[in-house]
Amino acid sequence: MMQGVLSGGKVIVAGSEAESLVKGHGRKRGRLELEEAAGLLETDKIEIKDEEGKEMSPDEFLKRALAISPEFGLRYIVYNDLKERGYVVQPGGVDFWLYPRGVKPGEKPARYFIRILSESDTISLKELVELLILARNMRKAPIIAVVDEESDITYYEVKDAKFEKREARKEELKIKVKASLFGDRVVLWDADLADTLYRTYFYGNLTKEKRLLLSFLEAAFLMRKGMLEMEVAPQLSTLNSQPFERFIEYASAIETDFRAKYAVYADLMEKGQMVKTGFKFGSHFRVYKAMQLKHSLYLVHVLSEEHVFPLPELSRAVRLAHGVRKRMIFAFAVAEGIRYVDVGRMKL
């Protein structure tokens, strides 16, 4: 059996025994990280002594490891779980490198790096973006491992959202239709034009009287495209003299986050996506593939770049999207435009 000594926050295995370390352990020859040493100790593959030469039981070693590193508890829970699933795990990267099953480090590069969090932690959008930048630089994929209060682990993948290209848009309307405010939405009265916008372009909700009810977002986008003209109602007459900005100001007074939502809505529409409200799913938008409305692929929620997630909030959004077979995407404005981050549950 291997013999090791706990020293300086590592377990040192000296002499020829250093060569006999089980594959996947001891990235630096003869030096085991605390998680690696604990795993070997609890499976009776190593004996560990302290610097005074006293042999330590597994419980004694775990207590010493926690005193050395307060993060050891969470790290060891995740390390153990991944090892039990048959993966080769090495400390490094952000928290751990994760190799494919059966691969010896050095034979192939790690496929993922693991970021470990507790249920009580938070993570910001900026931190998610930093993980993506790091992953791209290291040519790895990031995984977030969240340990809940019952010590169960949920794994999340994080990636930049990729939208499939849709078929070419049908030719835009050549005429400008007139519409009116209708409370907190917009109504188009012309029955023929209403039917065309609804059935051909998938805008709004068509009533049985052939009136088209548009959301403020849809109306603003059609105005920007030159396809819709708003009648000047008393509510609008005292606002900006430019029709589009006047309408944006009015909508923003009713929906405080309207400008942020419109920026994302317009960006998705310009990218060729079909965008409808995601209210029933607790998100701002549901996004469909191409010119069909059979099943939406994504839920998109608009946030500020400074947003910080309590992890139960992130878990709730991702779980709901997963349950209805959609991807959960968080959208936010950056200097270059709109950025989309896709977070999903991962089965390891």
Side-chain angles (χ1 to χ4, degrees), residues 137-182:
N137 291 340
M138 296 193 302
R139 298 183 180 180
K140 304 284 186 284
I143 297 175
I144 297 175
V146 179
V147 184
D148 67 24
E149 63 182 17
E150 295 179 348
S151 298
D152 287 331
I153 306 167
T154 304
Y155 296 97
Y156 297 95
E157 61 179 342
V158 184
K159 56 188 179 181
D160 285 306
K162 302 294 182 184
F163 293 104
E164 295 182 25
K165 290 184 178 180
R166 55 171 276 188
E167 62 200 59
R169 286 185 184 274
K170 296 179 175 65
E171 187 177 0
E172 302 285 6
L173 286 175
K174 296 297 185 182
I175 61 173
K176 183 178 290 188
V177 300
K178 290 192 175 183
S180 307
L181 286 176
F182 196 75

Side-chain angles (χ1 to χ4, degrees), residues 53 63 73 103 105 128 228 263 316 335 339:
K63 290 177 183 178
V103 172
L128 291 178
L228 184 143
R316 184 165 54 248
R339 180 148 194 173

Side-chain angles (χ1 to χ4, degrees), residues 31-44:
R31 294 166 62 87
L32 293 170
E33 299 293 336
L34 295 174
E35 299 82 20
E36 297 175 304
L40 291 171
L41 182 60
E42 293 206 294
T43 53
D44 296 322

